[in-house]
Amino acid sequence: MIQVTLPDKQYRIEIQAGLRHAIGEQVAKVWSKRKVLLISDEHVASYYFDVTAQNLALNGFEVVSAVLPAGEQTKSLEAVNYLVGVMAENGFTRQDGVIALGGGVIGDTAGFVASVYMRGIAFIQVATSLTAQVDSSVGGKNAINMDDVKNIMGTFYQPDLVIIDPEYLDTLDDRDLIEGYAEVVKTSALAGGEFWQWTGRMKTVADVRANAQWLIEQSVQYKADIVMADEKEGGIRKVLNFGHTFGHAIELMAHGELRHGEAVAVGMVTISDRFERDGNTESGLTDALVERLAPVGLPVFSPLIGQDDFYDHLKNDKKNQSGTLQLVALAAPGEPVIVKKELAAMKEFVEGNPE
C-alpha cells in the first residue's frame, strides 16, 4: 500500500495480486453505500465487468453500467456527454460515485466526468493496463482530446482510492502490456539508482511479466512522491513528461498506428539523442534507453519525427509557454532537468542544422 498525502486530500494506492476479487470490499473501506457508475470499455468489460459489478452489489452498492468503445477516440466530449446523461437519467447526486475499470483512456475519461458532474463527485480508479497501473491512475490528472489535440481539456481531480492488481495484466496481449512498459522505463530513468539498473535487466516480455509487481511498485512510489511534492505541475512534476512532448505529437500523427507508450518510447530516445548531441545529456544514455526499449519490442525511431505536422503539434503542447517549450532532459539517470527551447528553434534542434 502506498499513501498519497496532499494538502486537501489523502488516499491509498493498493497494489496486490488477486485484489480484483475484492473490489467491493476495498471500495466499502472508503465509501459508504451509494449509487456508482461503473465505467469500462468493451475489451476490459468482456473479462472483468460482470464479476466487478456483482462484487460491488454484494457489498451494498447500486451499480449503473456504462461500457464505451475501446481506444483513444473514447477520450472525447461525446463520451463525456453520454456519461453525464447516463448519470442524470439515473438520478446521481453529489453523494454518489464513479468507478473507472480500465486503462488510461477509461481512467482519464471517467476522472474527467467525475470532476465536472455537479462540480465534482467521488471517484475511484481500478487500473487494468500496465500504462494505467504505473502512470495514469496515479496523480489526479484527467483529460480528454478534441479533434487532433491530445489532452487539451482536463482537470486535476484526485481519486479516493486506486486499486492495482498485477493479475489484470494476464489478459493483456504483449503489445498492450509493453506499451505500458515504456512508462516504467521512463520512470526508472528519472529515478535512477536501483530502479534504473533493474530495467536494464529486463530483456524479454517474459521478464517484464515475471517482475511486474516490483516494477509497478517502484513506478507508483516514484510518481506518488513527485505528486505529493507538486500536485498541479507547477515545478518538479513537469519531469514526468520526459519523452511526451515529441511522443504526443507523433502519436496523433500516426492516427492509431502507434500506441501511447510506443510513441513515448520514440520520444524519449529522440530527445535524448538530441540533448546528448548538444551536451545536456551524458554520453551513452541514449544507447542505454534503446537497450531497455528495443529488446522488448518497443520502437525507438519514427519517420514522423521532423515532418511538417510534427512542428504544428508541438504548438499545442501543454508545456508551451508563450512560444517556449519546457523540454525534459536527463543529465544522467536520476538527474532530470528542464531545458527551455523556443518553438521557432525546434526545427534546428530536431534536424541538427539551421533553416
Side-chain angles (χ1 to χ4, degrees):
M1 188 272 289
I2 294 170
Q3 182 82 20
V4 178
T5 302
L6 301 166
D8 301 315
K9 183 91 173 186
Q10 287 189 354
Y11 63 93
R12 300 192 322 274
I13 303 169
E14 297 285 354
I15 306 171
Q16 183 180 323
L19 207 55
R20 70 190 189 283
H21 300 299
I23 299 294
E25 291 88 339
Q26 290 293 320
V27 173
K29 291 179 181 179
V30 297
W31 282 358
S32 59
K33 305 299 184 287
R34 65 187 67 188
K35 192 178 299 179
V36 299
L37 181 69
L38 182 61
I39 303 174
S40 192
D41 68 45
E42 292 168 345
H43 180 71
V44 174
S46 67
Y47 291 104
Y48 302 116
F49 197 94
D50 289 346
V51 67
T52 304
Q54 290 164 11
N55 194 251
L56 286 164
L58 284 172
N59 282 272
F61 296 97
E62 180 184 344
V63 179
V64 176
S65 303
V67 178
L68 303 172
E72 187 73 15
Q73 72 278 2
T74 285
K75 287 176 53 169
S76 66
L77 277 175
E78 289 78 11
V80 171
N81 187 60
Y82 167 73
L83 293 169
V84 168
V86 170
M87 294 166 77
E89 289 171 11
N90 284 275
F92 274 69
T93 71
R94 294 185 75 180
Q95 285 67 53
D96 296 317
V98 171
I99 298 177
L101 174 68
V105 167
I106 290 300
D108 263 15
T109 307
F112 184 85
V113 167
S115 73
V116 299
Y117 186 79
M118 292 189 171
R119 298 190 178 91
I121 69 171
F123 173 52
I124 285 174
Q125 289 262 23
V126 182
T128 62
S129 73
L130 187 57
T131 301
Q133 291 180 354
V134 301
D135 183 49
S136 61
S137 70
V138 178
K141 286 173 69 173
N142 312 287
I144 57 172
N145 307 330
M146 181 173 286
D147 298 325
D148 284 333
V149 185
K150 188 174 174 67
N151 295 337
I152 193 66
M153 190 179 300
T155 60
F156 286 95
Y157 196 70
Q158 300 292 343
D160 290 343
L161 173 70
V162 178
I163 296 172
I164 296 172
D165 181 351
E167 291 181 0
Y168 280 128
L169 305 180
D170 293 345
T171 48
L172 284 183
D173 66 25
D174 285 351
R175 186 180 181 189
D176 287 332
L177 175 84
I178 291 303
E179 74 128 342
Y181 184 64
E183 294 284 358
V184 175
V185 173
K186 177 202 80 173
T187 308
S188 78
L190 295 172
E194 182 185 12
F195 192 6
W196 175 246
Q197 298 304 318
W198 262 76
T199 55
R201 301 184 197 112
M202 303 294 106
K203 300 301 183 184
T204 66
V205 176
D207 289 342
V208 175
R209 290 191 182 276
N211 293 279
Q213 181 154 339
W214 191 90
L215 295 167
I216 292 165
E217 289 168 350
Q218 299 304 305
S219 299
V220 170
Q221 185 65 68
Y222 180 85
K223 185 166 185 182
D225 289 343
I226 292 287
V227 169
M228 285 188 281
D230 177 19
E231 180 182 1
K232 297 191 176 178
E233 207 170 39
I236 193 173
R237 187 168 177 174
K238 292 175 184 176
V239 304
L240 296 174
N241 293 303
F242 176 51
H244 283 62
T245 297
F246 288 5
H248 280 166
I250 63 170
E251 181 183 359
L252 288 167
M253 294 167 68
H255 301 292
E257 294 300 313
L258 277 176
R259 308 280 174 85
H260 172 72
E262 293 169 343
V264 168
V266 174
M268 288 190 290
V269 170
T270 303
I271 205 162
S272 294
D273 174 73
R274 303 316 190 262
F275 278 132
E276 190 173 327
R277 176 199 66 199
D278 294 348
N280 299 96
T281 291
E282 72 175 16
S283 178
L285 193 142
T286 306
D287 286 344
L289 283 168
V290 170
E291 289 164 4
R292 285 160 170 78
L293 299 166
V296 297
L298 282 162
V300 294
F301 168 80
S302 170
L304 298 173
I305 297 286
Q307 293 187 11
D308 290 343
D309 286 352
F310 174 76
Y311 299 106
D312 290 336
H313 283 300
L314 295 184
K315 298 173 186 175
N316 293 315
D317 187 87
K318 297 186 294 298
K319 298 167 291 304
N320 176 7
Q321 294 186 348
S322 302
T324 300
L325 290 175
Q326 298 180 75
L327 303 176
V328 183
L330 287 178
E335 298 178 29
V337 293
I338 301 295
V339 179
K340 295 182 178 180
K341 292 280 185 184
E342 299 294 322
L343 266 171
M346 287 306 296
K347 189 175 181 68
E348 179 181 349
F349 173 66
V350 172
E351 298 180 17
N353 48 58
E355 293 188 51

